[in-house]
Amino acid sequence: MIPVVLAVALVPLMMTPSRLREQEEFDAAMGRIANSVVEFVQGISVVKAFGGSERAHRRFRTAADDFVGIFSRWVRGMSLVAAGMQLALSPPFVLLVVLIGGAALITSGGMAPADLLPFLLLGLGLTAPVAALGHGFDDMQAARRAVGRIKEVLQVPPLPEPAHPVAPQGHRVELRAVRFGYDADHEVLRGIDLVLEPGTVTAVAGPSGSGKSTLVQLLPRFFDPSHGAVVLGGVDLREIGSRELYRLVSFVFQDVRLLRASVADNIALSVPHAGRDDVVRAARLANIHDRILELPRGYDTVIGEEAGLSGGEAQRISLARALLADTPVLVLDEATSFADPQTEQAVRRALAALEGDRTILVIAHRLETVADADTVVMLENGSVVERGSPAELLARGGKFATFWRSHRSVAADDAVLRGEEPR
C-alpha cells in the first residue's frame, strides 16, 4: 500500500491556488481557440469575398500561440507532481517496494518465502485501477469547472415576477420617460415618451444605432428600463405576469429562429392546441402557404432535417406564428426585410386587413413600411426627435424628411403628400 499512499499524498499538490489558476487559464485559452475556429468557419464566405482570409487566419494563429504558451506553463507546473504519481504507481517501483518489504519480513522470520508471491501479483494488479482513478479524478475536475461555469449562467437573476399580478385594462401602450442602457456607462434610450393607441400602426425610424431594436425589446419585457416605465392597459409591465403578458403581446424579429420541428409545430408554437385549419389560415395570411405545400411533407415537414427555408421564408413562418397568436399587441422588427417586393406587398395587405383594434409597433428599415403607418417616431441617439404622420413629417422638412429623401425620390415624396401609395 506504500506506493498508493505516496500517489494519493501528491494529489493536494495539484490543488494549490496557483495550479487552479493555471487550469482556469487553460480552459479560457481552449475557449478562445474554439471561438476563433467557429468564427472563421461560419464567416468563411464573407472572409473570402472581401479578401480577409489572412487576417482571419492570423487571429486563429494568435489564439493557437496563446493556447500553446498557457498549455506549456500548465504542463511545467504539473509535470513534477504528475511524474511523481506515475513513478509511485509504476510496476517496477511497486515490485521494488514489495520485494524490499518481503525480504525484510522473510529475513526476520515473519513470512515464509512462498507467501511473498501473492503480494507480488497483487501489487502489480493494484497499480492499474489506482492509475485509472487518477485519470477519473482529472475528468471530475474538468466536470467541476464546467459545472461552475453553468452555475455562473444560472445565477444571473431573471426578471422578477410580480408577487400579485395585475391584469391590464385594454391594450393601450405607453412609454413614460423610459431610459435604458446595457451597461451603466452608456445609455441607449434617453427619456422616451411614446403612446401607441389601439387600432393604429406606429413606425419607429432612424439611423443605425439610434435605439430602434432596443426599444422593441422593452415591450415584450426582454429587459426592464433603468428609469421610467412601459405601461400596457394602464399597468406597468413589471406588474403583469409573464404568461399574461405573452398572451397579449406577440412579436416578429428580424433575426428569426425556427425550431427543429414540423412547419405546423413552428407556426403553432404560441398556440399548441391550434387546429390545422387555423395554422393554414395564418400561413395564408403570411403568404407562405403555397411554399409549405411544395415541401416534402407539407406542414408535417421537419425544418432543418427534411427541408431548409430561406431567410424570407423563415421570416414569413415567424409572422404566421404571430398572426396565429392573434394578440392585441403586435411588435414587428421589419418582418419583411428578407422578402421580395411581391411578398412584401401581400404581407402588408394582410396586416392592413388584420389591424382592427390591434396595437401595432413596427421598427421600420424600409420606407414603404413607414408610409403605411399612422404615426412615425423618428429616433436619433436614443431620443425622439420628431413624431407625426408621414405626410406631416415630410411637409415639416426636418430630420425625418432628410432621412426619407436619402432613400426615396421626389416623386415618392409627392405621392405621400397627396396621400397616395408610394411606388
Side-chain angles (χ1 to χ4, degrees), residues 6-344:
L6 288 174
V8 172
L10 292 173
V11 170
L13 298 179
M14 301 175 67
M15 303 293 292
T16 62
S18 60
R19 296 287 84 80
L20 294 177
R21 281 195 302 272
E22 289 174 354
Q23 185 65 62
E24 291 174 356
E25 292 176 358
F26 173 79
D27 291 342
M30 281 287 290
R32 287 193 295 272
I33 197 170
N35 287 341
S36 66
V37 171
V38 171
E39 178 184 347
F40 182 78
V41 171
Q42 290 184 341
I44 188 65
S45 57
V46 176
V47 168
K48 292 181 68 176
F50 290 94
S53 57
E54 178 58 31
R55 290 193 300 274
H57 192 246
R58 192 183 306 122
R59 286 196 296 271
F60 169 73
R61 288 201 306 268
T62 300
D65 292 341
D66 182 42
F67 170 76
V68 169
I70 292 175
F71 179 74
S72 298
R73 289 198 303 273
W74 179 65
V75 168
R76 283 195 298 270
M78 298 289 290
S79 57
L80 291 177
V81 178
M85 294 181 68
Q86 292 288 338
L87 177 63
L89 295 175
S90 63
F93 182 75
V94 173
L95 281 176
L96 178 63
V97 172
V98 173
L99 286 174
I100 292 174
L105 289 172
I106 291 172
T107 55
S108 65
M111 175 185 287
D115 292 340
L116 182 60
L117 180 60
F119 289 98
L120 291 173
L121 298 177
L122 179 62
L124 291 176
L126 185 64
T127 57
V130 175
L133 286 176
H135 294 301
F137 175 77
D138 293 338
D139 293 338
M140 290 179 63
Q141 288 294 99
R144 182 187 62 81
R145 293 191 299 273
V147 168
R149 292 192 292 272
I150 293 172
K151 283 183 177 178
E152 289 178 3
V153 176
L154 296 178
Q155 286 171 356
V156 175
L159 291 175
E161 287 284 331
H164 304 286
V166 180
Q169 303 298 316
H171 46 277
R172 186 174 189 259
V173 177
E174 300 174 68
L175 284 79
R176 300 174 179 172
V178 168
R179 292 180 174 272
F180 176 78
Y182 294 101
D183 55 65
D185 299 328
H186 178 64
E187 273 193 332
V188 180
L189 300 176
R190 301 177 176 90
I192 301 293
D193 287 299
L194 187 61
V195 177
L196 312 179
E197 296 288 355
T200 65
V201 177
T202 302
V204 181
S208 296
S210 59
K212 300 188 301 295
S213 294
T214 300
L215 179 67
V216 162
Q217 295 184 60
L218 294 179
L219 197 51
R221 208 190 167 208
F222 291 165
F223 306 99
D224 279 337
S226 52
H227 297 87
V230 181
V231 177
L232 173 61
V235 181
D236 192 318
L237 292 189
R238 287 168 286 206
E239 299 178 12
I240 303 174
S242 57
R243 289 181 179 273
E244 177 68 15
L245 178 62
Y246 295 130
R247 281 197 291 265
L248 298 172
V249 180
S250 58
F251 38 88
V252 180
F253 293 129
Q254 190 174 9
D255 185 17
V256 177
R257 290 288 183 267
L258 298 181
L259 305 179
R260 189 175 290 270
S262 70
V263 174
D265 287 342
N266 269 279
I267 294 176
L269 183 63
S270 59
V271 191
H273 58 274
R276 181 57 59 91
D277 291 342
D278 295 329
V279 171
V280 172
R281 183 180 65 86
R284 288 184 183 275
L285 288 172
N287 200 37
I288 191 63
H289 172 71
D290 293 339
R291 175 67 181 103
I292 294 174
L293 295 182
E294 295 174 357
L295 298 176
R297 294 196 297 130
Y299 282 86
D300 295 318
T301 302
V302 176
I303 297 175
E305 291 184 4
E306 299 175 288
L309 298 175
S310 67
E313 291 165 350
Q315 216 163 34
R316 280 178 278 158
I317 292 288
S318 181
L319 179 60
R321 178 190 298 163
L323 296 177
L324 180 63
D326 196 27
T327 58
V329 180
L330 181 60
V331 181
L332 304 173
D333 187 358
E334 193 51 270
T336 57
S337 60
F338 293 117
D340 56 77
Q342 292 77 17
T343 299
E344 182 184 7

